[in-house]
Amino acid sequence: MNNKLALKDLINIGIFSVIYLVGLFVIGMPLGFLVITYLAFPFTVSLILGIAVMFLLAKVQKPFGLFIFAAIPGCLMTLMGHTPVVAIHSLIVAAIAEIVRKVLGYNTAKGSIAGYSIMSLWLCGAFWQIFLLKDQYFALTEKMISTDYAIGLTSLPWWIMPILYITAFLGGLLGGLLGEKVLKKHFEKAGLL
């Protein structure tokens, strides 16, 4: 098996990145209306998009495939107006997810599920902006949404972060397991099971 990413792999990563980003916005828009529902964003996205990501990971069983895929959303979010905190966090999470998938195996369901569960943690990067760049984040949120919403977000306590990481990981784990179950025949064909 050739372990280098081919053009076909990069095309798959690009196609699934578009699917992931569309899903991200479709799920995120209704959850973003209230601060309390926005806190459910990492879990919900990880759970629902698990099937699509597991399908990609079954197709791309090579080094750096997950890293590239996991880095794209956070970097794009930064280009779309979020602070660089999101991109930096995304790159760190993508590297950890890639390492975990490598250790557990690129061609194993366990490696794909664990890699996706870790990858799901990138969704917490948007919340770090609240604590690391509070004034800048307040101004951005006030301009994009409203002053009340900005006050609500910037008033969140710091201890919400571990809860968000746990829920994002659990959403990724459940989404990965759901993806494995739904795509069982495809996984068997791809040699993952």
Side-chain angles (χ1 to χ4, degrees):
M1 180 173 152
N2 182 1
N3 277 340
K4 292 186 178 180
L5 288 172
L7 180 60
K8 175 183 80 161
D9 300 316
L10 295 174
I11 290 170
N12 278 325
I13 291 169
I15 291 168
F16 279 90
S17 292
V18 170
I19 292 168
Y20 187 85
L21 289 167
V22 168
L24 190 68
F25 287 108
V26 168
I27 297 164
M29 290 304 284
L31 291 175
F33 285 122
L34 302 171
V35 172
I36 192 74
T37 55
Y38 185 52
L39 295 174
F41 178 69
F43 174 81
T44 309
V45 168
S46 302
L47 176 65
I48 294 172
L49 296 180
I51 295 170
V53 177
M54 292 301 289
F55 190 64
L56 168 70
L57 297 179
K59 291 179 124 354
V60 180
Q61 301 177 24
K62 297 177 182 173
F64 298 106
L66 179 58
F67 175 80
I68 293 168
F69 178 76
I72 289 172
C75 293
L76 281 177
M77 297 296 272
T78 298
L79 291 174
M80 293 168 59
H82 285 270
T83 68
V85 169
V86 178
I88 294 166
H89 183 267
S90 180
L91 291 169
I92 293 167
V93 167
I96 295 168
E98 179 67 31
I99 291 166
V100 167
R101 189 169 186 220
K102 179 180 181 177
V103 169
L104 296 177
Y106 291 109
N107 59 351
T108 66
K110 186 192 305 184
S112 294
I113 292 168
Y116 175 61
S117 299
I118 302 280
M119 178 206 148
S120 297
L121 302 178
W122 86 267
L123 294 158
C124 300
F127 291 90
W128 276 116
Q129 301 172 107
I130 296 168
F131 305 105
L132 299 176
L133 302 168
K134 193 171 204 161
D135 295 336
Q136 185 178 351
Y137 187 76
F138 183 90
L140 175 71
T141 306
E142 184 179 37
K143 185 173 88 174
M144 290 175 58
I145 303 173
S146 73
T147 303
D148 290 339
Y149 192 82
I151 290 169
L153 278 178
T154 55
S155 298
L156 288 171
W158 66 268
W159 52 262
I160 201 76
M161 290 308 296
I163 294 169
L164 291 173
Y165 276 102
I166 291 167
T167 59
F169 183 84
L170 288 176
L173 182 62
L174 294 173
L177 291 169
L178 178 64
E180 178 189 23
K181 186 172 180 79
V182 169
L183 301 168
K184 187 172 184 170
K185 287 183 183 175
H186 185 76
F187 276 24
E188 288 169 350
K189 185 179 174 184
L192 290 172
L193 295 175

